[in-house]
Amino acid sequence: SESVFEDLSKKYSKIGFIHRLDRNTSGLMIFSLNATAENELLEGFKNHIFIKEYLAEVVGVPKIREAILEGYLLKDKSTSTVN
């Protein structure tokens, strides 16, 4: 992720690294191109305005056609890890 940010920084002088979904995987990275966008995006993540939805590809035919699964992770701010 740092190398992507470095490459983009060469092209965009005011770029901001806003968020990395699923940091320990190959998740989506979000950047801003100006201070206004940076502030709006950071505020949105801080206040949980954005909804994260995941899709899964399944092999075979599940017994249940559709379901909503919810799981919550707890972040340890002192170690920046999620459990």
Side-chain angles (χ1 to χ4, degrees):
S1 63
E2 289 79 19
S3 64
V4 172
F5 181 69
E6 287 174 17
D7 289 345
L8 290 172
S9 295
K10 294 173 187 171
K11 185 173 181 180
Y12 303 100
S13 61
K14 306 236 181 208
I15 192 164
F17 196 158
I18 303 299
H19 191 69
R20 169 85 186 247
L21 300 178
D22 300 330
R23 188 175 76 175
N24 297 331
T25 66
S26 59
L28 177 72
M29 292 183 285
I30 300 173
F31 300 95
S32 64
L33 296 181
N34 60 56
T36 302
E38 181 175 12
N39 291 334
E40 291 286 328
L41 289 166
L42 288 173
E43 192 70 22
F45 280 104
K46 178 181 174 185
N47 293 316
H48 305 283
I49 292 173
F50 304 114
I51 297 170
K52 300 175 190 177
E53 292 185 350
Y54 299 84
L55 298 175
E57 185 174 345
V58 178
V59 176
V61 180
K63 292 180 183 178
I64 300 172
R65 178 153 174 80
E66 184 175 322
I68 296 175
L69 305 174
E70 291 186 27
Y72 299 93
L73 301 173
L74 301 175
K75 183 173 183 177
D76 181 340
K77 291 185 179 182
S78 65
T79 61
S80 282
T81 59
V82 177
N83 301 312

